[in-house]
Amino acid sequence: MFMRSTATLAALFFVSTAPLALAAEKPTDPQIAHIAYTAGTIDIEAAKLAIKKSKNKEIVDFAKDMERDHEAVNKQALDLVKKLKVTPEDNDTSKALAKAAKEEHAKLAKLKGAAFDKAYIENEVAYHKQVDSALETLLIPSASNAELKSLLETGLKIFQGHEQHAEHVAGMLK
Amino acid sequence: MRVPLLVPMLATALFASPAFAATIEVTIDKLIFSPASVAAKVGDTIEWTNNDILAHTATVKGGWDVMIPAKSKGKVTLKAAGAVDYFCRFHPNMKGHVEVAP
Ligand SMILES: [Cu+2]
């Protein structure tokens, strides 16, 4: 319903530490909604993998926090686009996110135990940093609908909080 | 003869209970504690009302840790005097402060 294709959704996993290939042009509101939802979905999928693979309580607890928060935010985003009658539109930024996520997933899937935990949490720090900067420099300034802008601004605070939380968990692993 | 006996009993009960303990309200909206800083006394209760769709905590390092579920409330009764900084474990960029007088 939200995603054009469930195959695309299934492909969304992890994002590498390479900077996002952001589209040169200013994204439209339907594209921004798609990017924000995709970014959340990627982190939920990452969390699900960590909950399944990790034996470390701190990692599993963190992953559960990510899953819970991003599901709540994505639900709110869905409610908003429905209310605004906006149809989210796939775009180059969403595609770049999905591609990087798929590569990161392949990398993480091969790891086990402490190596997995370390790679997962380090990617969480890097991923949240990337999304923070995309929100700050591109998505929030480009959003034209006031409610969408406000949702993104709250989203930025949540992502910044998660980044600090991830840094804290990464510090405990060392 | 029962009535006169009740008077000193009631007085004792009133003095023994924390008659002057207050409840201090803090609201959480879009990941912001407000007011960010509150003054309280030992025995007072702080009650957080969370208007967000996300769960938060009010956590003091080495001290209290209050869960505040989404669209819900959480509270703590202050037992020690002093100034404390608190934060949310899930979103450590959320910060608050309490001055507790004896
Ligand atoms: Cu929080």
Side-chain angles (χ1 to χ4, degrees), chain A residues 131-143:
Chain A
V131 178
D132 287 350
S133 96
L135 281 164
E136 262 172 324
T137 62
L138 183 76
L139 305 180
I140 292 170
S142 304

Side-chain angles (χ1 to χ4, degrees), chain A residues 29 47 96 110 118 151:
Chain A
D29 281 3
K110 290 180 198 136
K118 188 170 179 290
L151 183 78

